[in-house]
Amino acid sequence: MGATPEHHTGGEDPNRRDFIHIAATVAAVGAVGGLAWPFIDQMNPAADTLALASVEFDLSKVELGQQVVIKWRGKPLFIRHRTGKEIAAAIKDDNAALRDPQTDEERHKAGKAEWLVLIGTCTHLGCVPTFGGGDFGGWFCPCHGSHYDTSGRIRKGPAPKNLAVPEYTFLSDSKVKVG
Amino acid sequence: MSGHSNYEPKSGFEKWLDVRLPIIRFGHDTIVDFPTPKNLNYWYTFGGILALCLGIQIVTGIILAMHYVAHVKFAFDSVEHIMRDVNYGWLIRYVHANGASMFFLAVYVHMFRGLYYGSYKAPREVLWLLGCVIYLLMIITAFMGYVLPWGQMSFHGAVVITNLIGAIPVIGQSITTWLWGGFAVDNPTLNRFFSLHYLLPFMIAGVVALHIWALHVPGNNNPTGVDVKSKEDTVPFHPYYTVKDGFAISVFLLMFAAFVFFNPNALGDAVNYVPANPLVTPAHIVPEWYLLPFYAILRAVPDKLMGVIFMGGAIAMLFLLPWLDTSKVRSMRYRPTARLYFFIFVVVTLVLGYCGGQLPDNKIIPGLTTFQVIDADLNSVVWLSRMATAYYFAYFLIILPVLGLTETPLPQPESISEPVLSHPANAPAGAAASPEKRG
Ligand code: FES
């Protein structure tokens, strides 16, 4: 009690040495981290890949009840001209127990319920689902049996998410631009 | 390697080199004068077979890389060019492609042997872990190599496997994009896979060197699982095991050659002779046979993330094994109960392999339509996979830990030599008496 701890003063101050060690370690880690980044980032999409042009598509080519598959950014893109029956089925299920809840309204452009534009890769492991199969009248993925409804929402099987809707705009009534 | 060396440099050059780089001494102590348990059976020859497999894959691979073009537009055609135009290209490619299967066949025998004789137990845990690392590198290398021909199965196989990573919450998608180098499996992906497929075998060779080093410190395990007690229990590696391994390798090469020359596509998938098309998925995506059990485990789980976790866990079990098996007895020769569960485990992995190659909704017994239990049709491949997956994990996580504590092992022999020498037919007196009577 009251006794002050004896300071070991012979030689260098331990605190100062610790500081130098810590500072050197931090600098080394920072330098390695900084040098590593270019080697990591080179794996990310290159500028020309990112610059991949968007595609324009003429909808008048797709008849009612048909689907056209085009390639966009290396992936299939489904452009589907939905029938009234399909749209009705999709709306009817808006309140069903959905794994990835979304109303049909949210999956197409306002007032364009007949056009569904989807990225055609199964959200499970990336196979290309086929239309007209499965229990919900929409898409069926043959790989591990994911069922999507007429809105492209996941209803059954291992896939966790609805078929993705890419960014697109209507240039005119019969023309869309994707990307 | 450990202990003293019997190497005596003979020529002037050997003496000169020995003081500067004792590499010949090292080779002599490692593969010639290395004391090895004298009771190793043929299950132990697969180590040598595997070294040969790695060598074959590296040599044929380097040659194929001289003719192959890693570009989405040319990859498929360059493989056909190898098959049709390059002198003996067909032979080299078929050896490389079938060599991968042979490599996995041998590694599975090697691994099951290790499981049965308890080769992963102290003091060989690091040896076992290095082996697991080699196996993991083999899987990654084989997968990337399979993608290179850019056929339908290559392409969609790559899509499916890389999408597994997307299951990781939050960062999964960015990692997948990073791996792809784009928005989908495409040219950048093919390029980097080629680069890595060329690199990894050399990393495997490096780990193999460590694996052999870790083997030579405690020395080989053996079928009795009893430690080497005296010099009597061992024989020098050369000529005893070089000859035995040499014979096994010859037999193995005969089988290898039978595949290469008579049915080179038996183990491949015909769909891979269709050029890759990102817009159409083959009806049925299957990996190569040696990955089917893991694929079955992936599909057995109805949730994407959990499926991935289970598949990864199936390999992780191997890494944890030295600490999961609590038994003090190494070899299952003296563990009758464990032996029974082990053989069930072997069958279960084969069943998983079968399931991985079937469509999930296929019936197991075709005649019987359904075997409905509550909500599940037990007569479907997916349910068979689920039960097999359950056993696979139970074997590692429940059976081995509990059994080690509860089972009564059979008495183990005092030494490796004892069961041989004490056997009546081998008793010294009988041995001395019988030679002249024989025939
Ligand atoms: S990739 Fe579609 S269900 Fe697995």
Side-chain angles (χ1 to χ4, degrees):
Chain A
M1 273 230 251
T4 47
E6 233 185 285
H7 276 287
H8 185 75
T9 42
E12 294 143 75
D13 186 329
N15 291 323
R16 201 142 125 200
R17 178 176 285 180
D18 286 352
F19 173 76
I20 291 171
H21 279 163
I22 293 167
T25 312
V26 168
V29 169
V32 169
L35 283 174
W37 179 245
F39 291 89
I40 295 168
D41 196 37
Q42 52 79 24
M43 295 264 284
N44 273 317
D48 59 339
T49 311
L50 288 173
L52 263 190
S54 45
V55 284
E56 283 182 22
F57 186 75
D58 181 6
L59 294 172
S60 60
K61 286 190 248 172
V62 195
E63 309 231 323
L64 190 68
Q66 257 199 345
Q67 163 178 313
V68 161
V69 184
I70 59 172
K71 198 168 150 193
W72 176 68
R73 292 188 172 177
K75 285 181 179 161
L77 199 70
F78 294 162
I79 297 173
R80 177 148 191 86
H81 197 168
R82 295 196 294 178
T83 62
K85 228 172 106 202
E86 287 170 49
I87 300 170
I91 295 173
K92 194 175 106 265
D93 281 357
D94 275 352
N95 297 315
L98 297 171
R99 185 174 305 165
D100 180 11
Q102 255 187 327
T103 59
D104 189 52
E105 193 72 46
E106 296 171 71
R107 298 184 52 79
H108 59 76
K109 296 287 168 196
K112 303 273 187 194
E114 69 272 33
W115 294 109
L116 209 54
V117 180
L118 302 171
I119 296 178
T121 49
C122 178
T123 57
H124 182 224
L125 297 174
C127 289
V128 183
T130 46
F131 189 81
D135 298 352
F136 298 89
W139 288 265
F140 175 71
C141 181
C143 292
H144 319 96
S146 287
H147 303 248
Y148 297 89
D149 65 15
T150 52
S151 191
R153 292 174 299 203
I154 180 67
R155 301 300 292 271
K156 194 175 152 193
K161 289 228 148 52
N162 301 336
L163 290 177
V165 179
E167 266 178 50
Y168 68 98
T169 42
F170 275 88
L171 298 178
S172 71
D173 260 1
S174 64
K175 213 167 200 156
V176 282
K177 179 170 163 238
V178 185
Chain B
M1 199 181 288
S2 49
H4 109 122
S5 166
N6 290 320
Y7 170 69
E8 268 174 41
K10 281 179 213 83
S11 67
F13 173 72
E14 280 176 74
K15 283 189 191 124
W16 180 85
L17 188 66
D18 198 48
V19 233
R20 289 164 179 82
L21 178 69
I23 190 165
I24 305 182
R25 177 181 300 277
F26 177 79
H28 183 267
D29 296 347
T30 311
I31 49 179
V32 177
D33 192 30
F34 185 69
T36 311
K38 62 183 179 186
N39 59 339
L40 300 190
N41 52 29
Y42 272 107
W43 298 113
Y44 279 81
T45 60
F46 282 84
I49 290 174
L50 283 163
L52 177 80
C53 286
L54 180 61
I56 291 176
Q57 290 309 92
I58 290 180
V59 170
T60 52
I62 289 173
I63 294 168
L64 290 173
M66 295 175 186
H67 303 278
Y68 170 78
V69 185
H71 189 284
V72 288
K73 288 213 182 82
F74 309 109
F76 188 89
D77 290 343
S78 74
V79 173
E80 288 311 301
H81 157 76
I82 289 169
M83 294 302 288
R84 292 153 203 265
D85 301 333
V86 175
N87 300 329
Y88 289 104
W90 59 272
L91 176 66
I92 294 162
R93 172 163 176 259
Y94 276 153
V95 168
H96 193 74
N98 285 282
S101 280
M102 295 301 123
F103 202 164
F104 273 94
L105 183 69
V107 89
Y108 284 137
V109 175
H110 195 65
M111 288 161 76
F112 277 125
R113 188 269 287 148
L115 281 168
Y116 185 74
Y117 292 127
S119 303
Y120 48 87
K121 290 185 191 228
R124 296 184 183 81
E125 298 97 323
V126 172
L127 171 61
W128 177 262
L129 289 182
L130 289 166
C132 294
V133 171
I134 295 171
Y135 176 55
L136 199 58
L137 287 174
M138 279 175 66
I139 292 177
I140 298 169
T141 310
F143 160 64
M144 290 182 170
Y146 191 56
V147 174
L148 301 184
W150 215 242
Q152 266 295 63
M153 212 44 116
S154 296
F155 177 84
H156 289 281
V159 170
V160 165
I161 298 302
T162 50
N163 264 304
L164 288 178
I165 296 149
I168 302 169
V170 192
I171 51 168
Q173 210 45 56
S174 334
I175 297 182
T176 336
T177 309
W178 178 75
L179 282 175
W180 286 339
F183 303 110
V185 173
D186 212 331
N187 202 45
T189 326
L190 176 59
N191 262 284
R192 62 190 59 175
F193 275 23
F194 180 52
S195 167
L196 293 173
H197 182 69
Y198 204 112
L199 167 73
L200 288 179
F202 296 96
M203 299 190 52
I204 293 178
V207 187
V208 166
L210 293 178
H211 188 68
I212 296 173
W213 186 5
L215 167 71
H216 283 243
V217 177
N220 280 80
N221 184 28
N222 66 83
T224 64
V226 177
D227 283 327
V228 168
K229 295 273 158 57
S230 66
K231 216 163 171 293
E232 233 115 272
D233 290 342
T234 67
V235 288
F237 191 82
H238 177 75
Y240 296 94
Y241 286 113
T242 43
V243 169
K244 188 170 187 167
D245 283 2
F247 175 69
I249 284 172
S250 311
V251 174
F252 183 78
L253 286 178
L254 279 177
M255 185 192 64
F256 192 166
F259 271 109
V260 169
F261 292 106
F262 294 103
N263 208 345
N265 290 308
L267 301 169
D269 197 302
V271 176
N272 222 25
Y273 282 99
V274 177
N277 178 359
L279 301 188
V280 185
T281 306
H284 183 197
I285 294 194
V286 275
E288 291 282 78
W289 69 267
Y290 41 80
L291 299 178
L292 287 174
F294 299 113
Y295 193 59
I297 291 175
L298 171 75
R299 293 193 310 188
V301 186
D303 178 89
K304 181 175 173 182
L305 181 60
M306 286 317 266
V308 176
I309 289 173
F310 270 77
M311 188 174 72
I315 298 174
M317 289 298 113
L318 295 170
F319 283 86
L320 299 178
L321 179 62
W323 297 276
L324 288 174
D325 185 353
T326 50
S327 175
K328 294 270 171 300
V329 176
R330 266 192 215 127
S331 172
M332 290 205 188
R333 271 194 186 174
Y334 307 102
R335 303 179 61 194
T337 326
R339 181 165 57 203
L340 174 70
Y341 286 111
F342 170 81
F343 286 124
I344 299 175
F345 176 75
V346 175
V347 172
V348 160
T349 49
L350 294 175
V351 166
L352 279 172
Y354 163 80
C355 290
Q358 302 289 312
L359 288 169
D361 291 332
N362 277 8
K363 301 279 168 241
I364 307 161
I365 308 160
L368 202 67
T369 44
T370 45
F371 184 69
Q372 204 75 19
V373 176
I374 314 169
D375 219 2
D377 174 14
L378 293 187
N379 186 25
S380 65
V381 165
V382 73
W383 272 96
L384 184 63
S385 325
R386 281 180 191 160
M387 289 186 283
T389 304
Y391 184 86
Y392 183 100
F393 282 94
Y395 180 74
F396 287 104
L397 295 174
I398 301 168
I399 297 172
L400 283 180
V402 172
L403 213 54
L405 304 173
T406 57
E407 104 187 302
T408 323
L410 300 175
Q412 294 184 84
E414 271 311 304
S415 72
I416 292 173
S417 308
E418 193 216 50
V420 185
L421 297 180
S422 65
H423 196 277
N426 295 323
S434 44
E436 63 276 14
K437 284 189 196 150
R438 215 172 42 200

